[in-house]
Amino acid sequence: AKWLGRFLWKKGDGSIIDGFGPDGVSARVLDVTRNVVRLQTGYLYHYAFAMLIGVAGLITWFIFGLGGQ
């Protein structure tokens, strides 16, 4: 019983539940946040370029008829 309890605690709770549950989700959020922070330079021309790319993508989407229908 002691072996089974320790096994379920270490493998079941520690690896599976915490790995995919709260601890795993928070770790993935931190990973994504670290990558997004690299994109934020603070330079206005970087943000303007990103907006132009987005506008060009939207225009292309509507030109090829994928948007309004």
Side-chain angles (χ1 to χ4, degrees):
K2 187 176 179 180
W3 177 85
L4 181 62
R6 180 174 292 281
F7 175 77
L8 291 174
W9 169 45
K10 295 290 185 180
K11 297 297 180 192
D13 184 49
S15 299
I16 296 174
I17 294 173
D18 287 341
F20 292 111
D23 293 340
V25 170
S26 66
R28 297 299 76 78
V29 168
L30 287 174
D31 292 343
V32 169
T33 304
R34 283 188 195 108
N35 291 331
V36 169
V37 165
R38 291 185 208 159
L39 296 174
Q40 297 177 344
T41 62
Y43 293 114
L44 183 62
Y45 62 88
H46 287 162
Y47 298 127
F49 180 70
M51 286 189 288
L52 285 174
I53 294 295
V55 169
L58 281 173
I59 290 172
T60 303
W61 190 37
F62 281 107
I63 284 176
F64 287 110
L66 302 172
Q69 299 173 4

